[in-house]
Amino acid sequence: MADAILAVFQRPNFLVFVIIFLWGFYIMVTRYNLVKKLIGMYLVQTSVIFFLVSISAKRGATVPVLVSTTEPVQAASYANPLPHVLTLTAIVVGVATTGVGLALCAAIYRRYGSLDEQKILEKLE
Amino acid sequence: MIHQLPVVLFLLPLFAAISMPVVCLKHRHWSQPISMAILSAMVLVSILNLLYVIEHGEMRYVFGGWAAPFGIEWVADGLASVIMVVLSALGLLGVVFTVSTVPKDLGGRIVHYYTLVLLLISAMTGIVFAGDLFNLFVFLEVAAISSYALIGLAGGRALFAAFRYLVLGTLGASLYLLGVSYLYAVSGTLNMSDLAVIIPSLLSSKALVGGLLFMFIGLGIKMALVPFHSWMPEAYSYAPESVSPILASLVTKVALLAWIRVIYWVFNASIVIYNIPILLLVEVLGALAAIIGASLALAQKDIKMMFAYGGISHIGIILIGIGQGNATGFAGGIFYLLNDAVMQAALFFLAGVAFCQYGVRTVEDIGRVGKHAPWLTGSLIVVAMGMIGLPPTGGFFGKWYIILGALDAGNYVSVAAVLLSTLLTLAYFVKLFEGIFRKTSTPSDIPSSEIPFSFKLTLGITSAAVVILGLLSAPIVELLLSRTLPPGL
């Protein structure tokens, strides 16, 4: 058990990811305000993006730009560029989703005059 | 030129969607014929593509000339090409159906509607062809975002349903992305065929198991698998009548296809993780979905709600077929998937006609339509035969091959689950027919006006397709058995 806990602290990036993910999930589940739900959703997305970036880091590595084109490439001395590229796409997707979510929130507010889930559900009955 | 076909299939609706708001700025009513023309072209191209793939085997399209593990590739194999034909044909039918519903349903938002539908169809093309896990994620999200917007398009109750769908769908997509990043962390590649080579050497890795589970849950939410199905009936039944046929018949099926790809093409289906074979998991989830979905459908009063729960149970039946781990079961599952796409489209067309033409939404009200609507009743009878699985419809042969596969695998619980869900399906259609043919005390107040041509056309074609798929089941299953089987089977 103690080993497991120590192993977790060996990977602080993973710990941070789990905390942000669960925090976002908690907000999504417990809040009634729709915009707060969206904020929780955005935290969940961001945590996954954080995880994706953090796995590309290497100790003592530099930015993935080749210093010399003649020498063979030392993969260990460059950070992995691919997760960063993926992350950009994932961020764009996340922004688009949040945008659609906010637009829906605005439309719901215009229609029902409230952003509180319970009040909206009462009006829907 | 012929090698460009998968990309042409993707670009046709994408360019049309992007240029639609500009082209139709002044002339709103151009959007309908333009999208119909584009989708008809897609049907032709997808049939060409299928013929080519049947003739020459799978096509791999490499983007920008970068070879597979480093570049992005699209794989047009037998399975993708078959699904593509169904997808484009149902997309076209869905748009034909909207000729009479969109003005009533969406009024001034007609251009937005066609833009989003074309975007949705192009994203689904991407999901079907993607040979790369991250591409799959991006297209899943594009498809999902277009469907959130489509559901919310009409306003009213649908807005809230769309919001719920958005929150849950994004959670699913995040979990899927998390699974992908786990897999990338252990294997260093995102390409599906590359991963399939690397994975057998990584089976002891916990990250691999975690990644697989997260991807399963993420895609499970997207395809409305039973423990994660709660967003689906609301979203699809409150969606505008012009939107729900396309969504119900295609979006969940395409997510299911992505799941099948991950199970069979990325992970080898025979993988055993911590003494649990993953196919057993698929089967059990399928059996649960088949029974629970059908029993929930039985409890519904709203027609669209009932059909949506029916769709959930059918996803379960497809999974039972896929989970048998033999060729017969797999081909049966895929055949049932094709049938189910057609039947779901037909059911939501029916519900749309019932509401737009006769103003009927619930099972009780449908008695008022009764004998005044020969097209509605006739096509409902045919589609119900397909849903229950009576010969000579496609539904019967799909279930037949699934049960044969289950018997081959010696899996009697699966057989029982299919039969039980069939009985429950029968029960809710009996409820519906009782509503129609009961002698109603209230005299019919429905004007027996002629129904529009587009309604007749879509109802006729889908009902005919349900029967034709059954009559042609032998050659189709033959084709599926010879061209679409995954590598391990």
Side-chain angles (χ1 to χ4, degrees), chain B residues 6-75:
Chain B
V7 182
V8 170
L9 272 175
F10 171 72
L11 289 181
L12 273 174
L14 183 70
F15 274 140
I18 292 172
S19 50
M20 184 76 76
V22 184
V23 174
C24 304
L25 195 63
K26 289 267 169 59
H27 310 275
R28 284 181 172 183
H29 294 280
W30 287 8
S31 54
Q32 243 162 29
I34 290 177
S35 37
M36 260 188 243
I38 291 288
L39 286 168
S40 322
M42 264 186 86
V43 174
L44 284 181
V45 176
S46 62
I47 289 172
L48 265 183
N49 178 46
L50 178 66
L51 291 178
Y52 183 82
V53 169
I54 290 174
E55 190 79 9
H56 299 278
E58 67 171 26
M59 252 195 286
R60 282 173 183 268
Y61 187 89
V62 180
F63 280 89
W66 291 84
F70 301 108
I72 293 166
E73 66 167 358
W74 273 13
V75 184

Side-chain angles (χ1 to χ4, degrees), chain B residues 389-406:
Chain B
L390 298 175
T393 58
F396 169 74
F397 291 100
K399 280 181 183 166
W400 175 252
Y401 286 108
I402 289 173
I403 288 178
L404 278 185

